[in-house]
Amino acid sequence: MSTAPQTLFEKVWQQHVVVEPQGEPTLLYIDLQLVHEVTSPQAFEGLRLAGRTVRRPDRTIATVDHNVPTTLEGRLHIVDQIAATQIATLRKNCAEFGVELYDVDSREQGIVHVIGPELGITKPGMTIVCGDSHTSTHGAFGALAFGIGTSEVEHVLATQTLPQSKPKTFRISVEGGLPLGVTAKDIILAIIGKIGTDGATGCVIEYAGSAIRSLSMEGRMTICNMSIEAGARAGMIAPDDTTFAYLKGRRFAPQGEAWDRAVAEWRKLPTDPGATFDRELVIDAATLVPYVSWGTSPGMVAPVTSAVPDPAKVANELDRKSMERALEYMALQPNTPLDKISIDRVFIGSCTNGRIEDLRAAAKVIAGHKVSAHVNAMVVPGSQQVKAQAEQEGLDRIFKEAGFDWREPGCSMCLGMNPDILSPGERCASTSNRNFEGRQGRGGRTHLVSPEMAAAAAIAGHFVDIRNWEVREEVTA
Amino acid sequence: MQPFKTLTSLVAPLDRTNVDTDQIIPKQFLKRIERTGYGDFLFFDWRQTPEGNPVPDFVINDPRYQGAQIVVAGKNFGCGSSREHAAWALSDFGFRCVIAPTFADIFFSNAGKNGILLVKLSEEQVAQLLHNAQTIPGYQLTVSLEDQTITDNRGFNATFEVDPFRRYCLLEGLDDIGLTLRHADALDAYEKQHDHATWLQAK
Ligand code: SF4
């Protein structure tokens, strides 16, 4: 029996169809729900009010990340009482409904999108949801993973399913070798800059091509993570030997014979030759450079070697107004070279770039250098495991000697729900994913960059082209 | 959920593109554990200065648009974070309908679950409505979900597309979990089979 060639997305989707009622969305089975303190309290409350239970506690995992302070002292005594209540509420809900929680004091605690993969909970072929838009990160393993709202969190807790209309498919192939100094972050910033922040609305993107295949799992996660910034429902990358090597031996990865069976199943997932997509885009990796965002939307990016764009050259009125507003908020003049923009703060962390490889890359740039006198720089590892690993490799020492703050894991200044925020007017080079107005603190100005670019900016005090950077000391990991 | 049928109301023009959910409801208000009471914080950083004074020319402070239940905005409305608090804040403030050229996916589904109708019109139609709301005192629109039309009393007349199932749920004000549980038997059968796929288990 022969079947029509299918895409990775179609295979995962089809395996999870519970029913397809006439004239209604498909009811899709969800293999895993990740839960955190911010988007879950109203969902658990809804269950309680309706007298419902969590259908599959074994397919539900919780942690605290958004609110938690990143200093040891701050974690012991959370000063913000509303944040403390939210964390206590999650604790209570998990206990009452039987959900496993990686709490503040757990060695597994961390940003939800960092711990899923590192514990081997995230696996190829799964459907994964979380009340958080960056759930798309898990697609790096060939899972169908997407963010949902709190009503949907409640729906999945109660039924382990979600009614979903089938998204469109969009393959973005990045072909060729990546130029030196160009990272996964630059690939995704380039894609968003090219297709726009609503360029993939209603679509699941599959990232393909030799440049994507050559990336580590960390790099692939960085790319899938920011799919949402291009408007996509999810991002996916076909599982391969890199994926299996990353997963093997992790705490919740299958072991022994079950592992071999799993790999055999996962090898069936990649898109079949001849399968078609609703849309296709091919990018030549050789054209990519390091990017810096200059505005208040992740599509507002430009090569570090270029300048702040000029709204006067934009024809569409609403677009021009938005650009003018962005430049006013960012306090930038049109045509200013990006490498002349001086910064006050540096944030290395988040579910985009807070993994071990990101910290290694940044450490390599700063080793033997000192943070510029007018810059306040911090590193927030994505999880306790990332932090422990970095400390074992001596990366914390390199950061501290250079003058960086070395913090406890959490979302931190990616969204500033905890005490880590920008002051009004402060300008930050950030490895996170959103440069929205006020995202990192009211009046704060965010520039999105790769970890290497953020590290170099911390030292120089302004943006620099990482391709010209002088590496002073070898860092051995 | 409150059903949505027909709405006639003043129109608040928000002439910005990429209005993200961080702007609709800033993070400091996400620490609450309730589902209600977010209306006071809607567009918090745009409606008041850091010192806490109202920004008089911001649309929801403008006396001309008091009581408006319809917002017209630029493309990609509701992008960014998945926070349903954005839908709760809009609805708590009194908005029942947003008109824009495009919407972000997660916001789209959050709005539906809270009885907010999102209407996609072309960039030209949206530009026209923004202009009308800004220049014509007391400008009103009538949105009919039953007929899938948007009209004013000056000759503007547009039709819009809406997914038939979403339309049905909005018209009836239906709860999603209840709808899913109609398929409980199919779910039990599926799950029993699916649990054999050990490579798709979380732990
Ligand atoms: S690190 Fe930032 S983007 Fe990632 S989950 Fe936390 S707040 Fe969201």
Side-chain angles (χ1 to χ4, degrees):
Chain A
M1 197 185 85
S2 76
T3 49
Q6 284 184 309
T7 64
L8 162 65
F9 160 76
E10 280 157 354
K11 293 179 192 184
V12 179
W13 175 273
Q14 209 177 57
Q15 271 199 345
H16 291 86
V17 173
V18 176
V19 274
E20 288 179 300
Q22 183 71 34
E24 294 181 23
T26 300
L27 194 62
L28 202 67
Y29 194 76
I30 304 301
D31 288 322
L32 167 66
Q33 170 154 238
L34 301 161
V35 173
H36 64 82
E37 74 276 22
V38 175
T39 54
S40 67
Q42 297 85 355
F44 283 111
E45 185 60 18
L47 288 187
R48 208 174 278 124
L49 289 174
R52 292 178 173 133
T53 55
V54 173
R55 184 177 174 98
R56 294 295 297 262
D58 60 323
R59 293 190 181 273
T60 314
I61 283 159
T63 191
V64 283
D65 52 5
H66 284 65
N67 265 343
V68 291
T70 54
T71 58
L72 275 176
E73 175 54 26
R75 288 158 100 88
L76 284 176
H77 309 284
I78 300 182
V79 182
D80 180 340
Q81 280 314 305
I82 311 180
T85 303
Q86 200 170 51
I87 292 172
T89 304
L90 180 64
R91 226 166 257 153
K92 188 176 124 242
N93 285 332
C94 287
E96 181 180 334
F97 289 94
V99 171
E100 182 164 1
L101 168 69
Y102 296 112
D103 209 337
V104 189
D105 53 2
S106 154
R107 279 187 6 232
E108 277 92 17
Q109 179 266 340
I111 304 171
V112 67
H113 311 309
V114 176
I115 71 169
E118 90 190 347
L119 291 172
I121 296 169
T122 301
K123 298 175 187 77
M126 278 183 144
T127 46
I128 303 177
V129 296
C130 172
D132 189 284
S133 57
H134 291 100
T135 309
S136 57
T137 312
H138 307 263
F141 291 79
L144 175 61
F146 52 93
I148 56 177
T150 298
S151 295
E152 291 171 313
V153 170
E154 181 181 338
H155 194 284
V156 177
L157 288 173
T159 68
Q160 208 59 36
T161 65
L162 264 187
Q164 286 286 299
S165 4
K166 198 170 184 176
K168 295 207 169 344
T169 54
F170 186 177
R171 176 161 61 187
I172 300 182
S173 307
V174 188
E175 299 287 358
L178 273 186
L180 209 69
V182 176
T183 67
K185 183 65 162 282
D186 300 302
I187 298 181
I188 189 64
L189 287 176
I191 291 172
I192 300 163
K194 208 177 183 89
I195 69 175
T197 45
D198 59 354
T201 303
C203 298
V204 168
I205 300 176
E206 178 175 342
Y207 301 97
S210 54
I212 301 292
R213 279 198 303 277
S214 72
L215 293 173
S216 65
M217 288 317 294
E218 284 88 348
R220 295 178 187 187
M221 285 189 256
T222 300
I223 293 189
C224 287
N225 174 276
M226 288 189 73
S227 302
I228 183 74
E229 270 65 54
R233 201 76 187 87
M236 299 177 88
I237 294 173
D240 60 10
D241 289 335
T242 306
T243 321
F244 308 142
Y246 176 97
L247 274 175
K248 192 160 187 180
R250 292 196 183 254
R251 176 149 161 219
F252 293 113
Q255 315 285 337
E257 211 181 298
W259 169 259
D260 296 336
R261 264 231 323 285
V263 171
E265 289 298 328
W266 294 335
R267 283 203 195 279
K268 298 178 191 160
L269 289 171
T271 295
D272 299 326
T276 54
F277 291 79
D278 295 306
R279 290 168 66 194
E280 292 253 20
L281 173 71
V282 180
I283 292 174
D284 176 1
T287 62
L288 300 177
V289 296
Y291 294 87
V292 179
S293 77
W294 50 264
T296 52
S297 163
M300 295 172 164
V301 293
V304 61
T305 47
S306 70
V308 175
D310 191 345
K313 294 180 185 148
V314 177
N316 179 302
E317 193 194 332
L318 211 51
D319 287 343
R320 186 173 61 246
K321 272 198 188 155
S322 295
M323 192 188 255
E324 283 167 356
R325 204 189 138 75
L327 292 187
E328 191 192 322
Y329 180 87
M330 295 296 289
L332 290 174
Q333 291 303 318
N335 307 314
T336 309
L338 291 177
D339 61 7
K340 292 276 173 319
I341 298 174
S342 137
I343 55 160
D344 311 300
R345 302 282 296 264
V346 169
F347 171 66
I348 297 179
S350 86
C351 60
T352 313
N353 283 126
R355 296 188 182 78
I356 187 68
E357 185 177 89
D358 302 311
L359 304 196
R360 284 181 193 141
K364 202 165 171 179
V365 170
I366 63 165
H369 291 274
K370 287 269 181 264
V371 170
S372 165
H374 63 85
V375 173
N376 173 336
M378 70 196 288
V379 187
V380 183
S383 70
Q384 294 291 356
Q385 288 203 23
V386 169
K387 179 167 181 267
Q389 171 85 27
E391 287 175 352
Q392 199 188 327
E393 294 176 14
L395 303 183
D396 59 323
R397 225 178 352 93
I398 297 174
F399 283 115
K400 287 189 245 177
E401 274 167 17
F404 274 80
D405 254 4
W406 178 251
R407 295 295 185 92
E408 294 296 313
C411 293
S412 177
M413 214 164 69
C414 173
L415 92 165
M417 269 189 80
N418 72 352
D420 309 337
I421 55 169
L422 294 180
S423 303
E426 275 188 327
R427 190 179 295 286
C428 179
S430 178
T431 66
S432 56
N433 43 47
R434 287 188 175 138
N435 51 350
F436 298 154
E437 284 183 32
R439 169 88 177 172
Q440 295 193 292
R442 188 170 188 172
R445 298 170 180 139
T446 303
H447 294 269
L448 304 176
V449 286
S450 70
E452 289 89 330
M453 287 281 288
I459 306 300
H462 57 86
F463 293 109
V464 287
D465 186 343
I466 191 68
R467 292 172 298 182
N468 305 326
W469 191 254
E470 174 214 351
V471 174
R472 287 220 179 130
E473 285 173 16
E474 269 314 305
V475 178
T476 45
Chain B
M1 190 173 92
Q2 197 185 344
F4 190 110
K5 294 195 159 67
T6 298
L7 171 70
T8 298
S9 144
L10 285 174
V11 180
L14 184 58
D15 58 349
R16 298 179 184 185
T17 58
N18 293 309
V19 173
D20 58 75
T21 54
D22 275 73
Q23 301 318 318
I24 298 174
I25 179 97
K27 61 201 155 226
Q28 62 269 36
F29 307 111
L30 309 188
K31 294 175 192 164
R32 303 173 68 245
I33 55 172
E34 297 82 19
R35 210 179 242 269
T36 52
Y38 292 92
D40 292 347
F41 316 127
L42 177 69
F43 296 123
F44 191 81
D45 289 357
W46 285 348
R47 78 200 265 190
Q48 63 171 50
T49 63
E51 298 74 40
N53 302 315
V55 176
D57 59 351
F58 182 61
V59 62
I60 65 170
N61 292 334
D62 191 325
R64 289 183 294 165
Y65 306 117
Q66 290 316 300
Q69 293 174 272
I70 300 172
V71 187
V72 181
K75 68 177 176 202
N76 204 23
F77 187 90
C79 60
S81 148
S82 65
R83 57 188 73 164
E84 193 162 322
H85 310 66
W88 297 335
L90 283 164
S91 136
D92 199 50
F93 190 84
F95 289 117
R96 307 258 2 246
C97 173
V98 185
I99 302 171
T102 53
F103 296 93
D105 290 333
I106 306 177
F107 176 74
F108 200 81
S109 104
N110 286 340
K113 301 216 174 346
N114 289 279
I116 302 172
L117 174 66
L118 302 184
V119 176
K120 277 187 230 172
L121 293 184
S122 71
E123 300 235 11
E124 294 70 36
Q125 287 169 322
V126 165
Q128 177 71 53
L129 293 182
L130 282 171
H131 180 79
N132 290 357
Q134 282 165 339
T135 55
I136 301 168
Y139 184 71
Q140 293 203 340
L141 281 172
T142 296
V143 181
S144 165
L145 179 58
E146 279 156 324
D147 304 335
Q148 297 176 228
T149 55
I150 295 194
T151 47
D152 65 10
N153 54 12
R154 318 166 56 93
F156 182 90
N157 195 332
T159 54
F160 60 89
E161 296 291 316
V162 52
D163 171 74
F165 185 67
R166 175 180 290 264
R167 176 172 176 272
Y168 166 73
C169 290
L170 274 167
L171 286 171
E172 303 294 328
L174 290 178
D175 160 345
D176 257 18
I177 297 181
L179 286 170
T180 293
L181 292 176
R182 290 174 306 161
H183 306 297
D185 291 347
L187 173 57
D188 289 345
Y190 173 89
E191 196 170 51
K192 210 164 149 219
Q193 187 64 31
H194 186 70
D195 276 345
H196 291 302
T198 49
W199 55 93
L200 299 177
Q201 275 165 15
K203 298 192 270 189

